[in-house]
């Protein structure tokens, strides 16, 4: 790492001397570049720390909201390893039938569909949606992530979502 940094400094030094900058000014410019680099690195670390703390707080609140039905570990696993679910407009069983002529099925992310269409008041006439899949395919994980996405969706910084929603397993 130090060798790479020293080679980068020597490359910058050669570039600046190639531009015809004197040695006294060269030291000032190199010091300024080093100071700016340190400030940017420090600001990035602060930003990552704040982002980590906010995400941790959100997950803690989510686990608290879902507490009697889902454990904190289940919520953590569902949000950490989530692969975004996609939907398609043509059922897979109809796609291979000889009488059906589809060029291809449109596959889109499912969470934005719910956030932008289904949860709007007058945007859709459908009142009910069924999420169907075989066991172990990620229906519960999808619902936890949909709940999280809606719960922390902000149209403006100070404005929270319009509806207060809850997530209950079918067995309860």
């Amino acid at each position: 790492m130090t060798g790479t940094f020293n080679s980068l400094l020597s490359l910058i030094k050669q570039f600046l001397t190639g531009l015809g900058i004197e040695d006294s000014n060269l030291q000032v410019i190199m010091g300024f570049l080093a100071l700016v680099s340190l400030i940017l690195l420090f600001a990035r670390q602060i930003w990552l720390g704040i982002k980590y703390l906010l995400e941790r707080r959100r997950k803690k609140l989510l686990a608290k909201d879902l507490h009697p039905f889902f454990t904190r570990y289940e919520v953590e696993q569902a949000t950490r390893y989530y692969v975004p679910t996609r939907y398609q407009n043509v059922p897979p069983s109809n796609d291979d039938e000889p009488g059906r002529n589809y060029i291809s099925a449109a596959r889109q992310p499912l969470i934005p569909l719910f956030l932008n269409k289904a949860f709007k008041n007058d945007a859709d006439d459908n009142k009910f949606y069924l999420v169907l899949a075989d066991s172990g395919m990620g229906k519960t994980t999808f619902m936890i992530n949909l709940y999280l996405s809606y719960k922390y969706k902000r149209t403006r910084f100070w404005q929270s979502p319009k509806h207060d929603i809850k997530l209950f397993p079918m067995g309860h």
Side-chain angles (χ1 to χ4, degrees), residues 6-21 23 26 30:
N6 287 335
S7 64
L8 179 66
L9 283 178
S10 66
L11 182 66
I12 292 173
K13 210 179 247 189
Q14 287 175 359
F15 176 72
L16 291 175
T17 20
L19 290 175
I21 296 176
D23 282 340
L26 187 67
M30 293 297 288

Side-chain angles (χ1 to χ4, degrees), residues 19-35:
L19 290 175
I21 296 176
E22 298 175 8
D23 282 340
S24 60
N25 291 337
L26 187 67
Q27 294 299 325
V28 171
I29 292 172
M30 293 297 288
F32 179 73
L33 287 175
L35 181 64

Side-chain angles (χ1 to χ4, degrees), residues 110-128:
L110 193 54
I111 288 182
L113 170 81
F114 276 95
L115 293 178
N116 299 327
K117 185 177 179 190
F119 289 158
K120 301 276 181 174
N121 277 346
D122 299 328
D124 195 3
D125 292 336
N126 300 325
K127 291 183 181 181
F128 302 101

Side-chain angles (χ1 to χ4, degrees), residues 52-105:
Y52 169 76
L53 291 174
L54 286 174
E55 189 65 30
R56 187 173 156 197
R57 181 176 178 270
R58 284 182 175 176
K59 286 182 180 180
K60 187 176 180 181
L61 289 174
L62 178 67
K64 182 181 164 192
D65 285 350
L66 299 174
H67 175 264
F69 308 113
F70 301 100
T71 65
R72 180 177 278 190
Y73 178 75
E74 289 173 326
V75 172
E76 175 69 28
Q77 294 300 311
T79 55
R80 177 182 287 177
Y81 300 115
Y82 178 63
V83 176
T85 309
R86 300 172 72 82
Y87 76 96
Q88 63 186 43
N89 61 347
V90 177
S93 60
N94 290 350
D95 204 19
D96 294 333
E97 297 214 8
R100 312 280 181 173
N101 290 330
Y102 298 111
I103 294 174
S104 68

Side-chain angles (χ1 to χ4, degrees), residues 129-167:
Y129 289 88
L130 294 176
V131 178
L132 302 173
D134 289 336
S135 60
M137 296 303 291
K139 297 178 295 293
T140 303
T141 302
F142 163 71
M143 293 305 295
I144 289 172
N145 282 284
L146 177 63
Y147 179 81
L148 174 72
S149 297
Y150 182 76
K151 186 96 170 158
Y152 297 111
K153 179 184 176 188
R154 303 263 189 237
T155 52
R156 293 184 184 94
F157 180 70
W158 62 88
Q159 192 177 26
S160 52
K162 194 172 208 172
H163 304 287
D164 187 23
I165 62 173
K166 291 288 183 184
L167 178 62

